[in-house]
Amino acid sequence: DGSGKTTLISELKKMTHIFKHQVYLGWKGYYFKILYRLDKEVSTSSKIATALISKIYFYLFHAILPLDFFVRYLCAKSNAKYGIIIVDRYPLPKQDMGLYRKISLYVTYLLLPKPSLLFILEGDPEKIWERKKECGKKKFLEEYVRVKEQGLLIKTRKVLVDTCCTVDESFDKIKNELFSYLTR
């Protein structure tokens, strides 16, 4: 968060209608509305009932989530006249994932196509933190390292983009790499 994804994607979308189709594969904007309910904290008067319902919600959420990602992708694909879809966030593993979350993620990978080109936005984490400050700094720094490491594991063409410069400089790098890729 704060690396400039939304800003750079909106710049790209302004450039030409070819890039207007976007799908967000993060933890909001669910296609299946039940996921909003399953993703909420549960509380009842009984601790045992709360624990049981929370566990059921957890398993249902992660069983439905890969299908939700896939439907969101299909919706974007059906509208993408040129077959080009910008994906804002790509589901990446976390180090502390339990078995069920790993299974859910691997089902997601089976359903979604692998990215053709991956832009990894990076920069000085201190500067990025100053721009956003959405969560605790420690959590932000852990997430920054995780995304960078996990993104490098995806076997596809990758472009590292420093977002601690001006938006125009970051955007120029993305634009040049993208058009180089598309004209091959």
Side-chain angles (χ1 to χ4, degrees):
D1 288 332
S3 62
K5 291 182 307 298
T6 304
T7 303
L8 292 170
I9 288 172
S10 61
E11 287 298 311
L12 190 62
K13 286 166 71 172
K14 283 183 209 171
M15 209 171 92
T16 172
H17 65 283
I18 292 173
F19 303 117
K20 74 177 180 179
H21 300 290
Q22 175 184 351
V23 58
Y24 180 85
L25 296 180
W27 296 84
K28 59 183 177 184
Y30 301 124
Y31 182 83
F32 298 118
K33 302 303 177 209
I34 190 171
L35 288 174
Y36 288 107
R37 185 162 174 227
L38 296 174
D39 198 20
K40 293 202 184 299
E41 297 263 336
V42 179
S43 104
T44 65
S45 56
S46 163
K47 286 184 181 181
I48 294 171
T50 298
L52 181 62
I53 293 169
S54 292
K55 207 162 239 350
I56 291 169
Y57 276 24
F58 172 84
Y59 288 119
L60 279 174
F61 178 86
H62 287 286
I64 298 170
L65 187 61
L67 297 172
D68 189 81
F69 283 148
F70 185 61
V71 170
R72 283 190 258 171
Y73 160 73
L74 288 178
C75 289
K77 185 177 180 187
S78 70
N79 292 320
K81 184 175 179 182
Y82 299 96
I84 296 171
I85 301 171
I86 298 170
V87 178
D88 186 342
R89 297 185 184 263
Y90 191 79
L92 295 172
K94 292 186 178 188
Q95 290 176 341
D96 61 346
M97 290 179 83
L99 178 63
Y100 199 74
R101 282 186 178 167
K102 282 182 184 174
I103 292 169
S104 178
L105 183 67
Y106 292 130
V107 170
T108 299
Y109 287 165
L110 286 173
L111 294 174
L112 291 177
K114 182 176 78 170
S116 306
L117 180 60
L118 181 67
F119 290 99
I120 299 175
L121 305 183
E122 62 173 10
D124 178 357
E126 294 293 330
K127 288 180 183 176
I128 294 172
W129 163 252
E130 284 302 315
R131 282 199 301 241
K132 204 67 170 187
K133 291 188 179 181
E134 275 190 8
C135 58
K137 188 172 185 179
K138 182 179 181 226
K139 184 179 178 192
F140 166 79
L141 292 173
E142 289 169 356
E143 184 69 1
Y144 177 87
V145 170
R146 179 189 76 83
V147 168
K148 190 168 179 179
E149 289 172 353
Q150 297 300 322
L152 292 173
L153 294 176
I154 294 176
K155 296 186 183 344
T156 194
R157 182 173 173 191
K158 292 175 225 25
V159 178
L160 299 176
V161 179
D162 183 359
T163 62
C164 288
C165 51
T166 68
V167 171
D168 288 339
E169 290 170 322
S170 297
F171 183 66
D172 284 344
K173 179 160 187 173
I174 290 173
K175 184 174 63 174
N176 292 336
E177 288 290 336
L178 191 57
F179 284 110
S180 159
Y181 175 79
L182 292 174
T183 55
R184 284 182 178 204

